[in-house]
Amino acid sequence: MAENETKPPRKPVKRPRAGMPSQDAAARRRNFNEVALGYPEDVAVAEAERCLACKNAACREGCPVEVKIPEFVAKVRERDFRAAYDLLKDTNSLPAICGRVCPQETQCEEKCLLGKKGEPVAIGRLERFVADWAMAQGKDEPPKVQPNGKKVAVVGSGPAGLTCAGDLAKKGYKVTVFEALHAPGGVLVYGIPEFRLPKRIVAQEIQNLEQLGVEVVCDVVVGRTITVDELFEEGYDAVFLGTGAGLPTFMNIPGETLNGVYSANEFLTRTNLMKAYLFPEWDTPTKVGKRVAVIGAGNVAMDSVRCALRLGAEEAMIVYRRSEAEMPARHEEVEHAKEEGVIFHTLTAPVRILGDDEGWVKGMECIRMELGEPDASGRRRPVPVKGSEFILDVDTVVMALGTTPNPLVSQTTPGLDVDKHGCLVVRDENGLTTRELVWAAGDAVTGAATVILAMGGGKKAAAAIDEVLRGKE
Amino acid sequence: MFKILKKRELTPVTKLFVVSAPMVARKAQPGQFVIIRVVPNGERIPLTVADADPEAGTVTIVIQEVGKTSRLAGAMDEGDEMLDFVGPLGRPAPLTGKGPVVLVGGGFGVAPIYPIAKALRAKGVKVISIIGARTEDLLILSEEMASVSDELLVATDDGSRGHHGFVTDVLKQLIDSGREIEQVIAIGPMVMMRAVGRVTEPYKLKTLVSVDPIMVDGTGMCGACRLTVGGEVKFACVDGPIFDAHEVDFDEAVRRGKIYAAEQRLAVEKMEKEQCGGKCACGCGGGR
């Protein structure tokens, strides 16, 4: 085909959306290997052929980092996976992660025209396919970047920080990422379990960033080891705060300090970051009883309850005060949990946790709920049903009720304002905080949200930092 | 990586390390702690700062070998490097009063008492220190404590040195003697701190203790270290580790401290089995 010859118009192929090959539920409920196995090449190409290649690609509007969706899908269809990967990486520095953990059904795939009548193109699965293909080819070729002599400190190595760091490094900034824990990745390593996001994937995405020249320094708690003001004194021209929402929430009901009650943060950190599922080969233990109740129904709750099963619980259950329709978790996570045998106690709220003589959990008193009028969130408010109290037979309780931002940075940075929820106040859509030359994004600003929203925020902040620092020359 | 510049064996199971950690050294205040990790598959364990030298860039910690990680750490030598050494964490000890202050250190709790004594003395506050151990051989840092105390009193459970009995006996005698005491700060095993609180409570004598619960991250993230203080749930890592002895629910704290007792035993047993024919205590399984 001559170079200037246009390709013949292609017709989208009508076929059902390709299912995701997965580990069998009966086996996977007891192991930590990845659940979703990824599309084989032919399946990916066939799925890509379903794309209508809309001129006004609505899918792209649904994506917080504006991935060039029809373009990369077209490259998959043409089996030009390298080109597809380059298109993905143009706007998304962590595609292997997003392809696994994004809530596509409320973002890109929700806008897909095919979804109006049937099933949308499996954009997330295609993204994962392309990113995994590229990883299998080896390390990314780092682009040649001319250093611009400016330094930016990124606080926190979660999705917001990594995205911001990557974008700035590509523009020639010397970026140092400070991480409080001993391993980088933030919620991607301490929160999201191996079976949903293998840690080798996170490690490789971070290696890709290091190849771009990003320096990652662990064991530094900004706010304790060093303050934001001291970072400026050390010569950083700007600071980005991607400190996440790390504080756990408890219910303040009796019995929460009994042995056997965990925050989801503790339960997941022990399991994922500290690899408690490999105890005693790894040194950090966790204690999972026979009957585990996880309170809440977000992604963190689903991750916790599925970890509990894999750690050996005979029965793992979700206790949620609203009904299934209101569950904030990704649809796929709820489905996977069900397939694995998780029990759902909906319209049920804990009242108190009961302990035995030695202070270990021996049960949880709950009350039935019914849905009343919609509340401020638009969801119908759960109302207790009088006299419906009952005892749930459990020996381990995990509180997965959401998280709030850690105040260590805001408390030690004069002039850095937070709102009544502890979230950093930003003055514009790019995440400029109430301190000059300090930007922020991700859960630290929004409260607990999604990986991709944090990445979108980190991306905008990087662009704003670049614009302001270039303007200062 | 954080290099061990100096090691001192205080007792056969208590080791003092001077570690190169310039960023931590610049900030560490008495009462704060660090979290260390010594092997790639290892736990994070909290250790209270025993001294810090910002000029030299060093932080001193004292490790008592109890579980697997503290044993692995205790077996490290000068020149070895700790994988992780993060901090300073927690709130500094509030050293605001005019004194005199009675400091009570039990067992390896004497180590974190030392920098508090030193700081108080530097502020011109009168310091009366009571330190104790089961027996004289297990008493640590008595010379150092003498150098930063106006008065140093010693108690051993077996009477091998100083008062024959507990530090709390000495404390009670001191209070009953009518000496002026503005406040008491006690650091040691949870049961000792509980006993100190019980001694001082009837006198309404302000008493602070530094709790040492199970922790994972040490930055407020996990809540493993939660305890009830004055009827409210607090996180030792960010709200403490220093609390009012009369408000801490010690029974709960002791009970929560034992959550992983069985696992700790298992890990130690496994390590002992894997040791190089019992010749070394490093738990390396012969690979070192």
Side-chain angles (χ1 to χ4, degrees), chain B residues 164-194:
Chain B
H164 186 164
F166 298 131
V167 286
T168 39
D169 307 335
V170 180
L171 175 64
K172 187 158 188 337
Q173 284 165 18
L174 200 66
I175 299 169
D176 288 338
S177 72
R179 293 274 293 273
E180 187 198 353
I181 302 170
E182 186 218 0
Q183 65 167 321
V184 175
I185 303 176
I187 308 181
M190 214 68 102
V191 285
M192 182 212 92
M193 295 192 289
R194 176 170 58 190

Side-chain angles (χ1 to χ4, degrees), chain A residues 258-312:
Chain A
L258 287 165
N259 293 4
V261 182
Y262 292 91
S263 72
N265 269 3
E266 180 185 358
F267 191 66
L268 292 175
T269 301
R270 282 182 181 277
T271 309
N272 303 320
L273 176 70
M274 307 309 296
K275 305 244 181 293
Y277 62 94
L278 299 175
F279 179 85
E281 300 312 317
W282 285 61
D283 293 339
T284 306
T286 190
K287 212 140 182 152
V288 170
K290 293 195 167 86
R291 297 173 55 83
V292 180
V294 175
I295 321 301
N299 288 320
V300 170
M302 297 306 146
D303 285 346
S304 300
V305 80
R306 297 171 71 200
C307 280
L309 270 182
R310 285 159 172 78
L311 287 161

Side-chain angles (χ1 to χ4, degrees), chain A residues 315-375:
Chain A
E315 256 183 36
M317 46 201 127
I318 287 285
V319 174
Y320 182 50
R321 61 193 183 125
R322 302 178 197 255
S323 72
E324 188 169 334
E326 288 84 23
M327 287 189 183
R330 267 177 101 203
H331 180 66
E332 188 179 76
E333 307 310 326
V334 177
E335 286 310 308
H336 278 157
K338 283 184 180 168
E339 288 164 18
E340 291 166 11
V342 169
I343 298 160
F344 285 76
H345 295 285
T346 52
L347 293 169
T348 303
V351 178
R352 63 190 171 115
I353 304 165
L354 310 166
D356 66 17
D357 294 341
E358 284 171 6
W360 288 87
V361 174
K362 68 165 187 186
M364 183 165 71
E365 185 180 319
C366 298
I367 188 163
R368 302 272 182 221
M369 309 292 275
E370 57 190 8
L371 292 180
E373 295 299 307
D375 64 10

